[in-house]
Amino acid sequence: MKRRRIIKVKDKTFAISISERAIKSQIRHVAERINRDYEGKEPIFLAVLNGSFIFAADLLREIDVPCEISFIKLSSYVGTNTTGKVREVIGLNIDITGRPVIIVEDIIDTGLTMAHMLETLKQQNPESINICTLLLKPSKLKVDLDIRYCCNQIPDDFVVGYGLDYDGFGRNTKDIYTLI
Ligand code: IMP
């Protein structure tokens, strides 16, 4: 897609907020830390679909240690409890027992999805689990999460692009855009 400062996704208008260049540089920095921290290990990256597909592809190409990648999804079923929406983790078709796991997520908002995912994955007794997120909205966090790798902290605004969507659309831009 051609680079534009303002885009329309469905009925909403967004302005560019993080350039492709800035994203790539942030990813390189995080990947350098992962390469250092996981030296001598063979991590499994678990990328959460759909939003993290572009981030995961760029991140993995900066990783030097031997590694595997697998993709998980959250079911579209939405149950509710007192803390909010909880969705089930589906599609984990790799044995993570005794392995170092890095969850690759596009964005952490309230953190409820991630907290639930951690709980589910821990039941399989991995050696360790760390979180790697492209974006984090710190002011929205509702749970205590140890987020080891975060490329970018953003304000509490809705963003699209670089894999993130608004109602299914807007994933196919190289830059990230904020709702105006
Ligand atoms: P959480 O459980 O509130 O942390 O929700 C995280 C999920 O909400 C992400 O994986 C995204 O699918 C979605 N999400 C949260 N904020 C945004 C946003 O600004 N743009 C696109 N999707 C978002």
Side-chain angles (χ1 to χ4, degrees):
M1 189 192 249
K2 220 167 69 198
R3 189 160 194 244
R4 284 174 293 152
R5 300 213 70 77
I6 303 282
I7 58 168
K8 253 199 112 158
V9 181
K10 300 191 91 176
D11 58 325
K12 303 218 182 302
T13 307
F14 295 81
I16 196 164
S17 53
I18 313 174
S19 69
E20 177 188 15
R21 196 186 163 133
I23 298 168
K24 292 279 168 71
S25 147
Q26 289 154 1
I27 292 175
R28 269 196 301 275
H29 280 107
V30 160
E32 276 167 23
R33 287 178 48 214
I34 294 176
N35 286 330
R36 271 200 305 274
D37 296 350
Y38 285 80
E39 211 183 317
K41 292 184 184 271
E42 295 182 350
I44 298 180
F45 289 85
L46 287 185
V48 185
L49 293 173
N50 295 330
S52 74
F53 75 108
I54 296 179
F55 173 42
D58 282 345
L59 177 71
L60 260 280
R61 282 175 290 180
E62 299 291 339
I63 297 298
D64 296 332
V65 296
C67 62
E68 292 177 79
I69 184 161
S70 193
F71 298 88
I72 49 177
K73 224 177 149 112
L74 298 164
S75 67
S76 54
Y77 166 80
V78 179
T80 50
N81 63 14
T82 47
T83 50
K85 63 180 183 186
V86 170
R87 297 185 289 172
E88 292 306 316
V89 180
I90 52 173
L92 181 64
N93 56 5
I94 190 166
D95 186 10
I96 61 169
T97 310
R99 300 283 306 273
V101 169
I102 301 174
I103 303 174
V104 180
E105 179 64 293
D106 55 349
I107 188 163
I108 296 176
D109 190 275
T110 61
L112 289 169
T113 310
M114 185 55 76
H116 181 67
M117 191 137 46
L118 281 174
E119 234 173 79
T120 308
L121 295 177
K122 274 179 187 161
Q123 287 166 11
Q124 310 222 7
N125 298 314
E127 181 201 281
S128 58
I129 306 185
N130 276 312
I131 300 168
C132 179
T133 187
L134 175 68
L135 302 173
L136 168 68
K137 296 180 187 172
S139 64
K140 292 281 294 290
L141 260 185
K142 279 193 185 159
V143 284
D144 192 21
L145 277 183
D146 176 12
I147 301 168
R148 179 73 56 91
Y149 308 106
C150 171
C151 296
N152 207 330
Q153 299 200 1
I154 60 166
D156 176 19
D157 297 318
F158 192 81
V159 292
V160 293
Y162 193 75
L164 290 118
D165 73 306
Y166 163 53
D167 206 11
F169 286 79
R171 298 190 196 272
N172 54 313
T173 63
K174 293 179 178 170
D175 309 283
I176 289 174
Y177 292 80
T178 298
L179 181 66
I180 52 174

